[in-house]
Amino acid sequence: MPEGDTVHQAAGRLHQALAGQELTVSDLRVPRLATVDLTGRTVVEVVARGKHLLTRLEGGLTLHSHLRMDGSWRIFAPGERWRGGPGHQIRAVLGTASRTAVGYRLPVLELLRTTAEDEAVGHLGPDLLGPDWSPTEALARLAAAPEREVGEAVLDQRNLAGIGNVFKSELCFLLRVTPWLPVGELPDPERLTTLAARLLEANRHRPRRTTTGRPDRPLYVYGRAGRPCLRCGATVRTAQQGDPTRERPTYWCPGCQKGPAPAA
């Protein structure tokens, strides 16, 4: 599941493959960009901003993409068979003489002036893996709504950018609070931002995300509903949190984590 760590990894791979190279192939398969031709432009850089990807091009253009739940960018050598899904799921193809980047299932794809990137990412809070990371600013944004549930507050990219459903559940477990605890009742709010930054930084370059440090059991609670907690042995539970129209299963241990929670 794409979150801040994996999106920053994707930006690194795209930058390594495309930066400094002239585009020889440009195929944007969304209706409003279908006639756009970027061939001949040099890719300046590819950067991540929270869970957003910004591919900056010569001439002051930026191709903005977002992976959401299951989007991905794949890199292929000349002649290599494309793998990542059926052809009808391809939304973008950017090719150079040596590499081709193929974007699968991209729910967001738009072309902006580079000077107007704030239209796409200006609403984001401090990026946990970015040069703008500020725990003080993130804490101030979280504290502005003390009644809000911790799980919902950390998912809100306007507070701090980069946390998704996996890190939400794991962060709450490590804080020993349920995701339904109000932010204003956190016993140590500063630890939330410190630990969030440590978790994403620790996974910034890992091919497989982990919060436990154990390759056999990489996560404490996420995806472990019905199984024993790795710390206390209680049965890990799951429930939906937040917008009922979006699938966001939340995992927690009733033995280790204190605070309100849905009935079993």
Side-chain angles (χ1 to χ4, degrees):
M1 183 178 295
E3 300 197 20
D5 56 338
T6 50
V7 173
H8 275 260
Q9 290 174 23
R13 290 191 296 270
L14 287 166
H15 181 84
Q16 184 176 25
L18 303 177
Q21 305 294 313
E22 181 181 304
L23 291 178
T24 57
V25 176
S26 166
D27 185 4
L28 305 179
R29 301 180 185 180
V30 295
R32 67 176 179 169
L33 299 180
T35 60
V36 171
D37 184 6
L38 300 175
T39 57
R41 294 179 185 267
T42 297
V43 177
V44 177
E45 63 180 344
V46 183
V47 299
R49 180 76 172 85
K51 295 192 284 186
H52 299 251
L53 284 164
L54 302 171
T55 301
R56 293 171 179 153
L57 305 164
E58 178 186 33
L61 294 179
T62 295
L63 186 65
H64 166 233
S65 58
H66 195 297
L67 307 181
R68 294 222 176 128
M69 295 293 286
D70 64 348
S72 69
W73 279 96
R74 303 292 183 93
I75 310 295
F76 302 101
E80 185 179 0
R81 188 168 74 81
W82 296 356
R83 305 173 307 281
H88 71 266
Q89 293 183 348
I90 295 173
R91 296 292 176 267
V93 181
L94 299 176
T96 70
S98 59
R99 291 286 186 273
T100 299
V102 183
Y104 288 88
R105 300 173 299 279
L106 302 176
V108 175
L109 189 69
E110 59 180 343
L111 193 63
L112 309 166
R113 300 299 304 180
T114 301
T115 54
E117 285 179 357
D118 273 359
E119 294 177 9
V121 296
H123 66 287
L124 298 176
D127 184 346
L128 284 153
L129 292 177
D132 68 319
W133 170 240
S134 168
T136 302
E137 174 64 19
L139 273 174
R141 293 185 179 217
L142 289 166
E147 74 289 348
R148 198 171 187 190
E149 297 171 352
V150 173
E152 283 292 285
V154 298
L155 277 183
D156 189 336
Q157 303 299 294
R158 295 169 298 181
N159 291 330
L160 61 171
I163 291 180
N165 221 34
V166 177
F167 279 123
K168 175 192 80 170
S169 294
E170 295 294 294
L171 178 62
C172 288
F173 175 83
L174 291 168
L175 291 171
R176 291 180 176 263
V177 301
T178 67
W180 292 272
L181 184 78
V183 169
E185 295 181 25
L186 276 170
D188 186 0
E190 291 79 7
R191 187 163 178 258
L192 184 155
T193 52
T194 299
L195 190 54
R198 282 175 54 195
L199 282 178
L200 267 75
E201 187 62 45
N203 285 280
R204 186 176 197 145
H205 302 296
R206 283 178 173 158
R208 188 183 185 197
R209 182 184 293 138
T210 179
T211 57
T212 66
R214 296 175 56 174
D216 58 328
R217 295 176 179 177
L219 302 174
Y220 282 108
V221 290
Y222 188 86
R224 291 182 51 81
R227 286 183 275 178
C229 171
L230 298 179
R231 179 182 283 157
C232 75
T235 301
V236 175
R237 295 179 183 172
T238 184
Q240 291 289 326
Q241 183 179 23
D243 185 349
T245 66
R246 303 182 67 179
E247 188 177 352
R248 281 183 171 171
T250 298
Y251 299 84
W252 81 102
C253 170
C256 292
Q257 296 171 252
K258 307 304 178 186

